[in-house]
Amino acid sequence: MTNPARFDRGHTDDLMSFLAASPSPYHAVANAAERLEKAGFRQVAETDAWDGTSGGKYVLRGGAIVAWYVPEGAAAHTPFRIVGAHTDSPNLRVKPLPDTGAHGWRQVAVEIYGGPLLNSWLDRDLGIAGRLTLRDGSTRLVNVDRPLLRVPQLAIHLDRSVTADGLKLDKQRHMQPVWGLGHDVRDGDLIAFLEETAGLPAGEVTGWDLMTHSVEPPAYLGRDRELLAGPRMDNLLSVHAGTAALAAVAASSQPASIPVLAAFDHEENGSQSDTGADGPLLGNVLERSVLARGGSWEDRARAFAGSVCLSSDTGHAVHPNYAERHDPTHHPRVNGGPILKVNVNNRYATDGSGRAEFTAACEAADVPFQSFVSNNSMPCGTTIGPITAARHGIRTVDIGVAILSMHSVRELCGADDPFLLANALTAFLQR
């Protein structure tokens, strides 16, 4: 096993900064792009003609980013080695008519995105962030990273049944946050406030994609600070590790394959969008890269056939209070290294050859890894892995970092695991 003295908390410190600066998928991809720009990558527009030059390039579309590095002399049929991840997390998202309220309270109308642990959003100081679309079609990121909203929980004195029956939340009636006082609900108040915050003229915003986030920053936890608590680890932990790995490979070597980072939006609600893993974005980028280097359809087929994808997403660490919910022989532990996810019903895409692929990467990086399989009596979640494998015919392996409190507003992982994952991804991309 890797010597703990070699663990680099600098990587985890940087992850904490990345999490705090990425309250929405749009902020996450902007921050990933900024890191890649510093590593020499350049943005290319999907509407422009692409050239076959070597070096690092990336495409941004909404809350998704696909970045790749073409080594000098790469043939048109050179295969790809892909790290896949997703940028979205379950949360509360602002409705088209956001201004509401009752009984002297001003509230913001929200819709439930994905499958959040609703109780974790109660009595939290929440900010609001996302993307504003202006009259000319351009977009502007906005982030109110201060206590602005709150979903107040009902006092126990008014519902004694919670002690016997547990907390029961109605998604429509109980999850609308308050953000002020006033008897008159004025349409346009929230967007006017955000226009002012973003330094925009009144009436300039005609569309928005906005969501709430906890303003509590990430923090080390525990007597020895061996744990990390923070928001959106599912799955910005993987986005950050994949970005770091791609930048490291581009800076230090001439890999035999073409390393790729593909971070998609909308995984938490099925991936079926133009920026989701079930959309055309990844396939279009890879195919255009082949054609830009003078390749043919045959070269494209050869490149895809030789490609491999690591679908990196968080998984479940064994829970000390609910160990019976886990498979009795598979108990992934935090700070035990990344996990290899297996499900024979193809909820994960890993097979025996994929295990061998990941084993080789971990051995090259001197990184320990663990295996994860669900309890047979429990339903198994899924990832972008099976979607990527089926849509593009690319061999895919599902991996990730084991965490607790998945889909909570604040999740928990081992402080060393992000660094171990990044090292394994770097070794994979270099092969």
Side-chain angles (χ1 to χ4, degrees):
M1 183 167 176
T2 302
N3 182 350
R6 292 169 52 196
F7 293 155
D8 182 1
R9 287 291 173 86
H11 177 90
T12 305
D13 291 343
D14 189 63
L15 169 63
M16 294 165 70
S17 298
F18 186 80
L19 293 173
S22 304
S24 78
Y26 314 107
H27 290 82
V29 298
N31 289 323
E34 181 180 4
R35 282 166 159 75
L36 291 172
E37 288 274 356
K38 291 178 180 177
F41 285 67
R42 61 181 177 89
Q43 184 176 1
V44 293
E46 292 183 83
T47 53
D48 291 343
W50 291 5
D51 59 48
T53 56
S54 60
K57 305 171 186 178
Y58 67 91
V59 164
L60 288 181
R61 182 192 290 187
I65 183 171
V66 180
W68 66 104
Y69 178 78
V70 180
E72 290 282 353
H77 62 268
T78 299
F80 301 95
R81 297 184 76 80
I82 306 161
V83 171
H86 68 87
T87 61
D88 59 319
S89 300
N91 56 21
L92 313 178
R93 302 207 171 187
V94 175
K95 288 184 175 181
L97 300 176
D99 298 294
T100 185
H103 304 289
W105 293 96
R106 288 185 178 170
Q107 296 175 273
V108 173
V110 296
E111 189 173 4
I112 309 301
Y113 178 83
L117 288 172
L118 292 180
N119 62 292
S120 72
W121 287 84
L122 301 178
D123 297 330
R124 296 272 185 177
D125 296 335
L126 303 176
I128 195 166
R131 178 178 66 173
L132 303 173
T133 302
L134 311 186
R135 289 190 176 277
D136 62 2
S138 63
T139 59
R140 180 78 62 87
L141 296 184
V142 65
N143 180 15
V144 182
D145 195 32
R146 66 169 177 85
L148 181 69
L149 307 101
R150 184 183 179 94
V151 183
Q153 187 168 190
L154 183 66
I156 192 171
H157 312 81
L158 303 179
D159 185 9
R160 298 286 184 180
S161 67
V162 298
T163 58
D165 302 331
L167 180 65
K168 297 179 181 179
L169 296 171
D170 183 282
K171 293 180 180 179
Q172 179 62 40
R173 291 187 295 122
H174 300 151
M175 297 306 297
Q176 308 306 309
V178 300
W179 77 306
L181 300 173
H183 290 282
D184 297 324
V185 174
R186 296 190 293 268
D187 289 341
D189 265 4
L190 177 66
I191 299 307
F193 166 75
L194 294 176
E195 286 175 330
E196 182 179 1
T197 300
L200 296 169
E204 185 66 18
V205 172
T206 57
W208 52 87
D209 302 279
L210 299 167
M211 58 207 71
T212 62
H213 66 277
S214 171
V215 299
E216 184 180 3
Y220 288 108
L221 184 145
R223 184 193 67 180
D224 299 319
R225 294 162 49 91
E226 71 265 65
L227 301 172
L228 174 65
R232 299 177 294 280
M233 292 185 190
D234 178 16
N235 185 33
L236 294 188
L237 189 157
S238 295
V239 175
H240 176 263
T243 303
L246 181 59
V249 170
S252 65
S253 67
Q254 284 291 304
S257 302
I258 296 175
V260 179
L261 169 67
F264 302 101
D265 201 352
H266 301 132
E267 188 272 348
E268 297 293 355
N269 61 10
S271 296
Q272 292 185 320
S273 70
D274 69 324
T275 54
D278 204 19
L281 180 59
L282 177 61
N284 285 350
V285 168
L286 300 185
E287 185 172 332
R288 290 185 68 179
S289 174
V290 170
L291 298 177
R293 284 176 281 123
S296 62
W297 179 259
E298 180 72 9
D299 291 314
R300 181 259 188 210
R302 292 175 66 188
F304 278 44
S307 297
V308 187
C309 174
L310 289 189
S311 165
S312 182
D313 202 347
T314 53
H316 303 294
V318 61
H319 197 301
N321 299 335
Y322 300 91
E324 73 280 0
R325 301 297 182 99
H326 300 266
D327 183 84
T329 59
H330 294 75
H331 283 172
R333 302 180 184 275
V334 298
N335 286 337
I339 55 175
L340 179 74
K341 301 180 181 180
V342 178
N343 179 266
V344 295
N345 294 302
N346 287 338
R347 300 293 286 172
Y348 303 130
T350 307
D351 61 10
S353 66
R355 179 184 177 90
E357 185 75 52
F358 189 56
T359 298
C362 288
E363 288 178 346
D366 193 20
V367 166
F369 74 91
Q370 312 172 79
S371 294
F372 171 84
V373 65
S374 290
N375 186 308
N376 286 332
S377 299
M378 303 291 294
C380 180
T382 190
T383 68
I384 65 167
I387 296 172
T388 303
R391 182 170 183 82
H392 305 294
I394 291 175
R395 184 159 56 106
T396 303
V397 189
D398 271 297
I399 66 160
V401 162
I403 70 171
L404 293 182
S405 306
M406 188 182 295
H407 286 199
S408 171
V409 73
R410 196 165 177 84
E411 297 162 325
L412 185 71
C413 77
D416 297 321
D417 281 332
F419 174 67
L420 294 175
L421 175 65
N423 281 357
L425 296 183
T426 302
F428 166 75
L429 292 177
Q430 284 176 331
R431 286 169 54 79

